[in-house]
Amino acid sequence: MSKIVRATANIMLPFILVFGFYIVIHGHLTPGGGFQGGAVIATGIVLMFAANRYSDIKSRFTSSALKNTETLGLLLFIIMALAAIIAGSTFFYNWLANGGFIFGDSVTYGSNPGFLNTAGTIPIMNIAVGIEVLGAMGLIILYMLSGISREDA
């Protein structure tokens, strides 16, 4: 691609990433969540793939790094679900809610703007899903592009 496309992609990438992380983090307060935010973040990777050569991008985003990202998201999700059993409750129980710790503040009664430090394990599950979707979609795109580069060679 041309220098203009690459420069524009490099300028847009931080905004796309911040927007994606915003959707992931605020998933329990607004429409969106881990899957949607992870898809937006993966769109930033697609933009980098589209604006640069495959060989340049392949060195930045390796398949093993994306597989590890996907695995990290899955492990975090499973650990959060199993941690409830260790805490003495049922599988997937929201054991952080109303505990006063991270994401453990109580929600005030009535109309309010929504507070980020609420909802217990739900924001952490959103983060886990976002990490998993980012890795999975990045990996799919990387494999699709590797097929295109083989046909061109």
Side-chain angles (χ1 to χ4, degrees), residues 3 8 24 34 44-45 54-55 61 76 78 94 101 137 143 147 149:
K3 288 182 180 180
T8 305
V24 169
I45 293 175
Y54 175 75
S55 59
F61 301 102
L76 181 60
I78 292 170
N94 194 350
F101 191 56
M137 291 184 78
Y143 282 137
S149 74

Side-chain angles (χ1 to χ4, degrees), residues 35-101:
F35 186 87
Q36 292 85 352
V40 169
I41 295 168
T43 303
I45 293 175
V46 170
L47 180 65
M48 295 309 293
F49 284 149
N52 296 290
R53 282 189 231 132
Y54 175 75
S55 59
D56 296 340
I57 292 300
K58 183 146 175 58
S59 63
R60 286 191 213 169
F61 301 102
T62 62
S63 62
S64 63
L66 292 171
K67 285 178 189 174
N68 290 338
T69 302
E70 184 181 10
T71 304
L72 175 71
L74 287 172
L75 284 176
L76 181 60
F77 193 84
I78 292 170
I79 288 170
M80 288 306 297
L82 290 175
I85 294 174
I86 295 169
S89 188
T90 57
F91 190 65
F92 271 114
Y93 181 75
N94 194 350
W95 54 278
L96 283 176
N98 301 325
F101 191 56

Side-chain angles (χ1 to χ4, degrees), residues 1-24:
M1 287 285 170
S2 70
K3 288 182 180 180
I4 294 172
V5 173
R6 276 183 276 164
T8 305
N10 288 334
I11 291 170
M12 292 299 298
L13 181 65
F15 295 107
I16 292 171
L17 295 179
V18 167
F19 183 62
F21 287 118
Y22 175 84
I23 291 173
V24 169

Side-chain angles (χ1 to χ4, degrees), residues 112-131:
N112 62 64
F115 299 105
L116 186 62
N117 197 26
T118 57
T121 59
I122 296 170
I124 298 172
M125 298 275 193
N126 277 332
I127 292 168
V129 171
I131 292 170

